[in-house]
Amino acid sequence: MPFFSVIIPLYNKEDYIAECLESALNQSFNDYEIVIVNDGSTDNSVQIVERINSEKIRLFHQENQGASKARNKAASLSKGQYLAFLDADDIWKPNHLESLNESITTFPNSGIYANNYFIKHSNTYTAPAELNIKVNNNAPFILEDFFEASLKETVVWTSACSIEKSKFESYGMFNPIYLSSQDLDMWIRIALKEPIVFHPKKTMIYNNSIENSLGKIEDNDARFILLESFKEYEQSNCSLKAYLDLKRYGLALRTKINGEDKIYKDTLKTIDFENLNTKQKILLGTPSFLLKLLNNIRPVIIKNSLYLRIFKS
């Protein structure tokens, strides 16, 4: 039995999957397998995987059903004790699994093990994730408050974390009704009940490049339902409420840009504006045509991080 099963959902990532797999195969910690579920790709992604000669790789196929079902199927087919998720357009540093193993060894039986990470905002701009944490050394530790620590960027990014397979299954795996943010749902549910371990070493590069623009159409109805599903918990958890309100702010901004007026108005009603800063309040009051303009020129202004200074807290 391998210690880790690397879980990769694959859908039309021919420009990224080779580099992704190279990073996964170049790990200093060697006790792992790689389980890939091809989610009905129509490009050359599968052919690229098949050209890579490694006994660690196991490739399976399904009709296109989305990331949740692809990850869940890969997890079900995996043989490892721990699952380490990796999206097909993200990159691991060579010490990624080694750092996760250090966290697991130091704090066994925890809920989630998360490494620090970089964010690739464009081909010319990559920066460390901005987390609400003060770090004094490079040793893993248990977060005092996951939600407070995630009030900037989230502490747990899917391609930078690991969870015991049996624990993942006990939480019902990723909920396939959410076409996006299914990982957010899972991490919140676990963080409400179990300790989250964070390793300060930056071992992953999350590809948040131009394709994933703020105005990209997503299943925002389901995202609204997801955020509202924790209504009971946030009434007695101030940091969870603040965390969810920042997610709602992002949803409101996105739906305003998209012209999804009903979700935008419904989302505004759920936000405690005391949890937003002045800039965020101003942006929510900005005319949609101006927000669309800013979003359309994103490829230009993100090169010097101006876009992030505008839209991020």
Side-chain angles (χ1 to χ4, degrees):
M1 173 190 292
F3 190 77
F4 286 110
S5 290
V6 180
I7 304 300
I8 302 179
L10 178 62
Y11 178 71
N12 288 356
K13 290 293 190 296
E14 62 180 9
D15 293 333
Y16 307 99
I17 186 60
E19 187 178 9
C20 171
L21 281 176
E22 181 182 2
S23 76
L25 290 167
N26 193 33
Q27 293 297 299
S28 55
F29 184 91
N30 197 48
D31 188 10
Y32 65 96
E33 64 171 355
I34 299 174
V35 185
I36 303 172
V37 168
N38 167 42
D39 189 37
S41 294
T42 58
D43 64 359
N44 293 316
S45 296
V46 171
Q47 292 88 331
I48 292 171
V49 172
E50 290 174 338
R51 288 200 293 265
I52 299 174
N53 184 22
S54 173
E55 294 181 355
K56 287 186 177 296
I57 297 175
R58 301 166 60 213
L59 175 63
F60 301 91
H61 304 273
Q62 68 178 25
E63 295 182 0
N64 180 245
Q65 299 178 63
S68 288
K69 289 190 175 181
R71 288 189 184 120
N72 290 347
K73 180 173 181 176
S76 297
L77 295 166
S78 68
K79 300 176 181 178
Q81 182 180 356
Y82 286 85
L83 308 177
F85 300 97
L86 176 60
D87 285 351
D89 50 5
D90 292 338
I91 301 296
W92 281 352
K93 299 290 187 180
N95 62 338
H96 180 74
L97 291 180
E98 179 183 339
S99 298
L100 287 174
N101 180 63
E102 181 184 356
S103 294
I104 293 168
T105 302
T106 307
F107 299 103
N109 303 316
S110 296
I112 309 169
Y113 301 91
N115 288 352
N116 205 347
Y117 59 100
F118 295 94
I119 302 177
K120 180 180 179 181
H121 297 284
S122 72
N123 289 333
T124 59
Y125 182 59
T126 299
E130 189 176 357
L131 307 175
N132 195 33
I133 301 175
K134 291 183 179 179
V135 177
N136 298 319
N137 55 47
N138 276 329
F141 61 93
I142 294 177
L143 294 170
E144 291 184 9
D145 189 329
F146 164 81
F147 303 110
E148 183 178 357
S150 300
L151 288 178
K152 294 180 179 179
E153 304 288 354
T154 183
V155 172
V156 177
W157 193 260
T158 303
S159 288
C161 77
S162 178
I163 182 173
E164 193 168 10
K165 178 180 177 179
S166 60
K167 193 177 295 281
F168 180 69
E169 292 173 334
S170 72
Y171 277 91
M173 302 195 286
F174 293 118
N175 191 335
I177 71 166
Y178 300 129
L179 299 182
S180 63
S181 300
Q182 61 280 143
D183 44 359
L184 172 68
D185 167 67
M186 171 66 77
W187 310 147
I188 292 175
R189 286 191 282 124
I190 296 175
L192 285 169
K193 296 181 178 181
E194 304 198 43
I196 309 300
V197 177
F198 179 72
H199 203 308
K201 288 183 180 178
K202 302 178 186 70
T203 66
M204 191 276 293
I205 302 173
Y206 158 49
N207 187 358
N208 188 36
S209 57
I210 291 170
E211 297 92 329
N212 301 315
S213 68
L214 184 61
K216 183 179 179 181
I217 299 295
E218 296 180 344
D219 188 5
N220 289 320
D221 286 294
R223 189 183 292 251
F224 177 84
I225 293 170
L226 187 160
L227 296 174
E228 287 298 283
S229 70
F230 297 102
K231 199 81 173 177
E232 177 183 350
Y233 296 97
E234 67 182 330
Q235 292 175 4
S236 58
N237 189 325
C238 294
S239 59
L240 172 61
K241 172 61 176 170
Y243 173 78
L244 292 176
D245 279 350
L246 288 179
K247 297 298 181 184
R248 291 170 177 135
Y249 157 75
L251 177 60
L253 205 60
R254 184 180 300 108
T255 51
K256 187 170 186 177
I257 289 174
N258 292 343
E260 299 174 81
D261 292 338
K262 185 179 187 306
I263 308 176
Y264 167 68
K265 293 176 181 177
D266 288 345
T267 301
L268 286 185
K269 295 175 184 176
T270 66
I271 298 175
D272 180 350
F273 281 79
E274 292 296 317
N275 288 325
L276 304 185
N277 61 34
T278 300
K279 182 179 69 176
Q280 291 164 337
K281 295 173 186 176
I282 291 173
L283 279 172
L284 285 178
T286 300
S288 58
F289 78 88
L290 184 54
L291 292 175
K292 289 178 183 178
L293 175 63
L294 289 170
N295 194 54
N296 288 338
I297 63 175
R298 178 180 186 266
V300 176
I301 61 179
I302 201 171
K303 291 180 179 180
N304 60 6
S305 76
L306 178 60
Y307 181 89
L308 300 177
R309 293 199 295 271
I310 292 173
F311 283 102
K312 294 290 186 180
S313 58

